[in-house]
Amino acid sequence: MSEHKVVYRRTTKGEWVASVEGVRRCHGRGRTLRQARQQLRIALARVVADPYQMDFVEDVRLPPPARGLILRHWVARRRLEKEQGRADAAARAALHALLGLDVSVKDAGDLLGLPPLKLQKLRAKARA
């Protein structure tokens, strides 16, 4: 698969325009990013044999304040996923210890403050 840089820009009318760098006069337009991406692939079908074999490296052009907020969001999400993994490992160890003391699963859930489905997932991961 080949990688191509796709740039998305907002028009003054509020729609998105997608274009592939290095491919002239081939654009996709849409009210959403998804629609612009689909229209771009349709437009590329006239130029390229199989546009669905192309990987897009997407560059969405936004004003700096919005771009900064999105970057902060993704940094926070990565941090959250890391901490969630640590919390799950601690809960799994605590659940295993509680079950070893013959504490019921319901009581373990109450002690850990976790719903029954979360406990089932933790138990399944501990067995695997």
Side-chain angles (χ1 to χ4, degrees):
M1 280 200 191
S2 58
E3 283 189 356
H4 297 277
K5 185 175 180 181
V6 177
V7 178
Y8 296 91
R9 290 183 176 85
R10 282 298 284 259
T11 65
T12 55
K13 296 177 184 176
E15 70 178 359
W16 291 97
V17 176
S19 57
V20 178
E21 284 191 354
V23 180
R24 295 174 49 102
R25 298 193 309 185
C26 191
H27 306 285
R29 293 179 177 275
R31 288 181 299 165
T32 65
L33 288 169
R34 184 172 295 161
Q35 287 176 349
R37 187 179 303 117
Q38 289 171 341
Q39 292 300 316
L40 179 63
R41 289 203 191 267
I42 291 169
L44 281 170
R46 295 182 210 123
V47 181
V48 180
D50 189 3
Y52 294 96
Q53 291 296 316
M54 297 172 71
D55 278 339
F56 290 162
V57 177
E58 299 180 327
D59 179 12
V60 179
R61 301 286 166 93
L62 295 170
R67 186 177 208 104
L69 291 171
I70 290 172
L71 290 174
R72 268 190 19 207
H73 160 76
W74 283 107
V75 166
R77 288 219 18 202
R78 280 190 220 106
R79 192 177 313 126
L80 174 65
E81 288 171 3
K82 192 175 184 180
E83 291 300 321
Q84 186 65 50
R86 288 182 185 157
D88 286 350
R92 192 176 308 110
L95 177 63
H96 181 70
L98 289 170
L99 294 177
L101 295 171
D102 291 328
V103 174
S104 72
V105 175
K106 282 186 175 185
D107 287 340
D110 288 343
L111 290 169
L112 296 173
L114 296 174
L117 287 176
K118 181 70 173 181
L119 292 176
Q120 286 178 355
K121 287 180 184 178
L122 291 174
R123 288 178 75 183
K125 280 188 179 180
R127 292 180 192 149

